[in-house]
Amino acid sequence: MAPVNQSAVTMFILQSFVEDHLVKDTLFCLFFALFMASIAGNGLIIITIHSSPNLHTPIYFFLANLALMDVICTVTILPKVLQCLVTENSISYEGCLTQMFILSWVLGSELLLFSAMAYDHYLAICQPLHYGTLMSGRACVALATFVWFTGALNSLMLTCLVLPLSFCGPNLITHFFCEIPSVLMLSCSPTFINNVMTVIADMFLTGLDFLLTMTSLSLANEMDKECIWQREDVGAEPGGVEEREIEDEM
């Protein structure tokens, strides 16, 4: 069969959970409750951090960004899942691309945000005297902008690589939402470049997050050990802590 141009593809079919209507109704109620809880919980986090001046610190600023990413991810996936449980389980070609872009954007940005939070943790523990300068409001905004922009750029690259592909076989996506690996399996065009770029992007983002997080925790742990050793040395000195406490009492 000759390959069909991708413009002929108007929709994909998302894999359904079950066919039993009673189970579908139960899943609908469960997912709807999870949807509302996620929106309410993350919305409450954002509102609380925004309205409380005491929480206007770098770590809570990044936490608000993380809550916003969770909201976007939830809104991107769950409404379509709820629709598939009630009516048809199809999604348009354009809607599938949009879902892939937003999901890749948010998930990639979350990994970068975890790296930024690890960097903030490192500065707070290992550079306490310069922490206020290094993590000023302008620096936090610059880090957040870098996280969102880099995640969007990565997602745009991966999504644009899907555009030239043609789909001439089955259009059943073996998932309940559109993600790049599942869509690539349906293409009758060569997807070697897409697979390689997807793996490289995942390895870079996850590797960077893992490296910075482990480095931050290791350095913070070493700093805590040094502080403990210094306290023990001071306490072991003649006339150390004990004599100072006696002098304070007198």
Side-chain angles (χ1 to χ4, degrees):
M1 179 183 295
V4 181
N5 189 278
Q6 69 170 10
S7 60
V9 177
T10 58
M11 67 176 56
F12 292 103
I13 306 299
L14 298 173
Q15 186 174 18
S16 58
F17 291 93
V18 290
E19 298 298 333
D20 185 85
H21 291 288
L22 179 60
V23 178
K24 279 188 174 182
D25 293 340
T26 304
L27 289 176
F28 179 86
C29 296
L30 175 62
F31 286 144
F32 182 76
L34 292 175
F35 175 74
M36 296 303 298
S38 176
I39 297 299
N42 287 294
L44 183 61
I45 291 175
I46 296 174
I47 293 174
T48 302
I49 293 175
H50 177 73
S51 59
S52 178
N54 295 331
L55 300 180
H56 291 175
T57 59
I59 188 62
Y60 285 106
F61 173 76
F62 293 135
L63 183 61
N65 278 266
L66 182 61
L68 179 59
M69 291 177 185
D70 288 340
V71 169
I72 296 174
C73 186
T74 302
V75 171
T76 303
I77 296 179
L78 280 184
K80 190 61 184 179
V81 172
L82 295 174
Q83 179 187 348
C84 293
L85 290 172
V86 176
T87 58
E88 58 184 8
N89 57 335
S90 61
I91 185 172
S92 65
Y93 177 80
E94 294 77 11
C96 189
L97 289 178
T98 302
Q99 198 174 66
M100 281 193 302
F101 171 77
I102 296 178
L103 284 178
S104 299
W105 178 21
V106 172
L107 295 179
S109 297
E110 280 191 357
L111 290 175
L112 292 173
L113 184 62
F114 291 147
S115 301
M117 295 174 75
Y119 176 69
D120 172 73
H121 180 261
Y122 160 75
L123 292 180
I125 300 297
C126 301
Q127 301 288 335
L129 298 180
H130 304 285
Y131 178 76
T133 303
L134 296 175
M135 293 301 294
S136 61
R138 181 175 299 179
C140 291
V141 172
L143 271 176
T145 303
F146 172 78
V147 164
W148 286 93
F149 177 78
T150 305
L153 187 63
N154 171 71
S155 178
L156 181 63
M157 176 193 66
L158 296 178
T159 305
C160 287
L161 288 175
V162 178
L163 294 177
L165 300 179
S166 58
F167 300 89
C168 56
N171 62 343
L172 175 63
I173 297 177
T174 57
H175 217 313
F176 57 90
F177 62 90
C178 288
E179 62 175 356
I180 293 177
S182 299
V183 174
L184 292 181
M185 293 175 61
L186 303 178
S187 175
C188 54
S189 302
T191 59
F192 176 76
I193 296 179
N194 301 74
N195 293 326
V196 170
M197 294 303 297
T198 301
V199 171
I200 291 176
D202 291 343
M203 290 180 62
F204 172 76
L205 294 176
T206 55
L208 180 64
D209 176 47
F210 177 79
L211 180 62
L212 289 180
T213 301
M214 294 304 296
T215 302
S216 171
L217 293 176
S218 299
L219 293 176
N221 187 42
E222 291 297 326
M223 183 67 68
D224 290 337
K225 288 182 180 179
E226 290 183 4
C227 293
I228 294 174
W229 291 338
Q230 289 178 359
R231 293 191 189 117
E232 291 178 349
D233 292 340
V234 171
E237 291 178 358
V241 176
E242 293 80 0
E243 290 189 1
R244 291 175 186 173
E245 291 179 353
I246 295 174
E247 290 177 359
D248 292 337
E249 292 177 356
M250 293 177 62

